[in-house]
Amino acid sequence: MGLDFSILAGYEGVLVQGAIWTVGLTVASIVLSLVIGTLMAVFRLSGMRIVRWPVSFVIWLFMGTPLLLQLYLIYFGLVQIGLDLNAFTAGVIALSLHFAVYDADIIRAGIVAVDKGQYEAARSLGLSHAQAMRKSIVPQALYNVAPALGNMMIALLKESSLVSVIGVMELTLSAQRAISDTFRPFEFYLAAAVIYYVLNLVLEQAVKAVERRSAKYR
Amino acid sequence: MDFALIAKVWTFFAAAAWVTLQISALAICLGLCLGFAAALASISRNVLLRFPARVYVSIFRGTPALIQLFLLYYGGPQIGLQLGPFEAGVIGLGINIGAYMTESIRGAILAVEKGQMEAARCLGLGHVQSMRNVILPQALRLMVRPLGVNAVALIKGSAIVSTISVVELTYTAHRYISSTYKPFEMFILASLFYLVIVSVVSFAVNRIDERVALES
């Protein structure tokens, strides 16, 4: 069986639709993972052991296990406790939690790396704790962590393909649907790979632009 | 928590963990070979070596490992490449991690101070000799940690071969989740095996890194 890329004609709509879902899935997961990751970082830096230890445990557990396994846990496990989520929601939760754990580690390191004198200086100028954090420490921390967080976002886009296994109609599953119609795996997976590659390039450029902007806080 | 169930099925998980270990070890070996070859090619002055290496890294880091695996396993027969699930898993994971390892190795070589190469050349060593006897021994020390990170990522990433029906840890967990409807128990059981493997590998990487690190 040779290759015949003309088979792709007629399925552009399916693939584009899938790509749109992949982008939506990725953007939603990136936003949520940054929020959860920041909270986890703050909890982990907290002086209270009762919040620090459980969060540290969850970070350790999620860092040591595969995303695919976590995806199965969240999709099938939340049903067991009575939360019947659709596949898209379960996918977003799994992706955000998985990456939040890594983001938390990065953000924590970024906050710790900001010189202590910066905080003291801000406070002595009359800023409150919250103001000092928001106006002095966090912007500087953001500069420290922008490249690492950017890498996580780029990884998230690629890992979002795993969500196809629980039935989210994103790019990978869309390609699979087209394949079950046509029995042409090579052409469609290659087409999906090309689309992922382009999305990846776009995201890379966006991340670089953010890095450049955050550099002014140095 | 259904401990009776865990006690009943854990041996199947242990057997599956062995498969995960095998597939990861083989893929890491393949990735290291590809990584070294591509890293040396990518810093070469010869564009015929440099360009293919850069393309390899860009393509395999720019697309999802899952798609690469599907392309190899399901698409392979269309171009005359018929592989079993295990072989496809090893090759797919190995080629993918090789691209990341290329960057780790390349980074380590470039991190060796430029003066070292200049000094070696001044002493009359050729480019290849300087590379082999001066630069690479120093770069090897620097690449232990990033390669260790790649290896740990691969072990966790090896879960995706469950989708092409390799009976490893995640496949086993998924099968028992579907048949017992006990996702938490099965997740925790599989997680324990992953955590043990990942912790042992991380520990080993740290020890090797401490051993080879230059004083200063």
Side-chain angles (χ1 to χ4, degrees), chain A:
Chain A
M1 195 155 76
L3 299 182
D4 175 15
F5 285 94
S6 63
I7 195 84
L8 295 176
Y11 287 94
E12 314 91 340
V14 177
L15 292 176
V16 168
Q17 195 77 38
I20 292 170
W21 277 103
T22 286
V23 170
L25 186 68
T26 304
V27 171
S29 305
I30 284 175
V31 172
L32 199 56
S33 73
L34 285 177
V35 173
I36 301 172
T38 309
L39 289 176
M40 279 180 166
V42 171
F43 284 148
R44 227 186 149 180
L45 286 171
S46 150
M48 283 184 295
R49 286 191 194 125
I50 195 142
V51 294
R52 198 170 68 214
W53 284 356
V55 170
S56 297
F57 176 74
V58 168
I59 289 177
W60 175 76
L61 185 67
F62 269 58
M63 270 196 167
T65 55
L67 171 60
L68 197 56
L69 196 59
Q70 294 160 13
L71 199 59
Y72 289 138
L73 173 77
I74 286 163
Y75 189 53
F76 298 106
L78 292 181
V79 174
Q80 197 184 15
I81 58 167
L83 259 174
D84 196 358
L85 298 172
N86 62 31
F88 184 82
T89 315
V92 170
I93 293 175
L95 280 173
S96 343
L97 274 179
H98 181 80
F99 281 92
V101 163
Y102 290 91
D103 291 352
D105 228 36
I106 294 166
I107 295 169
R108 187 185 68 101
I111 292 175
V112 171
V114 174
D115 187 16
K116 211 175 147 195
Q118 295 286 331
Y119 177 78
E120 286 159 2
R123 289 305 300 269
S124 63
L125 285 170
L127 273 70
S128 71
H129 170 79
Q131 278 177 321
M133 279 309 247
R134 203 178 67 228
K135 298 195 165 157
S136 174
I137 306 302
V138 171
Q140 294 184 67
L142 188 70
Y143 170 75
N144 291 336
V145 300
L149 285 182
N151 283 342
M152 282 297 132
M153 292 172 189
I154 292 164
L156 194 150
L157 169 67
K158 285 175 279 174
E159 298 284 286
S160 75
S161 61
L162 291 190
V163 172
S164 62
V165 300
I166 59 167
V168 181
M169 251 313 201
E170 41 66 82
L171 187 48
T172 304
L173 192 57
S174 300
Q176 274 166 11
R177 286 291 152 86
I179 290 162
S180 53
D181 267 10
T182 57
F183 303 106
R184 291 281 182 176
F186 196 93
E187 288 88 341
F188 281 100
Y189 283 133
L190 194 62
V194 170
I195 299 175
Y196 273 115
Y197 189 75
V198 171
L199 292 177
N200 194 54
L201 282 183
V202 172
L203 185 57
E204 251 174 35
Q205 292 310 312
V207 165
K208 273 186 194 148
V210 173
E211 265 171 47
R212 274 196 301 273
R213 285 197 57 188
S214 69
K216 73 180 179 192
Y217 289 111
R218 195 181 199 174

Side-chain angles (χ1 to χ4, degrees), chain A residues 1 63 102 158 186 197, chain B residues 58 61 70 78 100 156 184:
Chain A
M1 195 155 76
M63 270 196 167
Y102 290 91
K158 285 175 279 174
F186 196 93
Y197 189 75
Chain B
S58 173
R61 289 181 75 203
F70 285 167
Q78 268 176 280
Y100 290 89
K156 286 181 281 173
F184 283 103

Side-chain angles (χ1 to χ4, degrees), chain B residues 82-167:
Chain B
Q82 200 109 36
L83 293 168
F86 188 87
E87 292 80 30
V90 169
I91 295 172
L93 289 174
I95 294 178
N96 178 261
I97 205 67
Y100 290 89
M101 286 177 160
T102 302
E103 290 297 271
S104 301
I105 295 167
R106 196 173 88 99
I109 294 174
L110 294 180
V112 175
E113 208 200 327
K114 213 175 144 203
Q116 296 283 333
M117 180 55 123
E118 286 162 2
R121 295 304 298 270
C122 281
L123 288 170
L125 275 68
H127 180 79
V128 175
Q129 270 184 314
S130 318
M131 204 60 179
R132 202 179 56 213
N133 295 330
V134 179
I135 305 298
L136 280 182
Q138 297 182 68
L140 276 176
R141 299 163 187 269
L142 297 173
M143 65 181 75
V144 170
R145 190 166 289 277
L147 287 178
V149 171
N150 293 146
V152 167
L154 178 108
I155 293 168
K156 286 181 281 173
S158 74
I160 63 170
V161 300
S162 64
T163 57
I164 57 168
S165 69
V166 178
V167 186

Side-chain angles (χ1 to χ4, degrees), chain B:
Chain B
M1 238 355 184
D2 190 345
F3 288 107
L5 179 67
I6 290 180
K8 212 164 70 186
V9 301
W10 81 271
T11 49
F12 295 103
F13 279 74
W18 176 235
V19 177
T20 289
L21 263 180
Q22 283 175 310
I23 212 162
S24 303
L26 290 170
I28 288 170
C29 290
L30 178 59
L32 281 174
C33 296
L34 288 170
F36 268 104
L40 288 175
S42 75
I43 54 170
S44 156
R45 273 165 298 183
N46 185 343
V47 73
L48 287 176
L49 289 173
R50 198 170 64 216
F51 185 69
R54 295 274 165 87
V55 170
Y56 162 64
V57 170
S58 173
I59 289 177
F60 285 89
R61 289 181 75 203
T63 55
L66 189 67
I67 291 280
Q68 294 163 19
L69 191 65
F70 285 167
L71 198 53
L72 180 67
Y73 183 65
Y74 296 112
Q78 268 176 280
I79 53 166
L81 197 65
Q82 200 109 36
L83 293 168
F86 188 87
E87 292 80 30
V90 169
I91 295 172
L93 289 174
I95 294 178
N96 178 261
I97 205 67
Y100 290 89
M101 286 177 160
T102 302
E103 290 297 271
S104 301
I105 295 167
R106 196 173 88 99
I109 294 174
L110 294 180
V112 175
E113 208 200 327
K114 213 175 144 203
Q116 296 283 333
M117 180 55 123
E118 286 162 2
R121 295 304 298 270
C122 281
L123 288 170
L125 275 68
H127 180 79
V128 175
Q129 270 184 314
S130 318
M131 204 60 179
R132 202 179 56 213
N133 295 330
V134 179
I135 305 298
L136 280 182
Q138 297 182 68
L140 276 176
R141 299 163 187 269
L142 297 173
M143 65 181 75
V144 170
R145 190 166 289 277
L147 287 178
V149 171
N150 293 146
V152 167
L154 178 108
I155 293 168
K156 286 181 281 173
S158 74
I160 63 170
V161 300
S162 64
T163 57
I164 57 168
S165 69
V166 178
V167 186
E168 43 70 86
L169 261 176
T170 299
Y171 183 92
T172 306
H174 184 217
R175 196 170 61 189
Y176 279 101
I177 287 172
S178 315
S179 62
T180 61
Y181 298 106
K182 298 271 191 216
F184 283 103
E185 284 84 347
M186 296 305 120
F187 172 76
I188 283 167
L189 191 49
S191 297
L192 280 177
F193 282 104
Y194 276 113
L195 287 167
V196 167
I197 296 173
V198 165
S199 304
V200 169
V201 172
S202 302
F203 179 77
V205 168
N206 282 340
R207 288 306 298 273
I208 297 171
D209 188 52
E210 277 166 22
R211 217 8 112 70
V212 301
L214 290 169
E215 284 113 55
S216 85

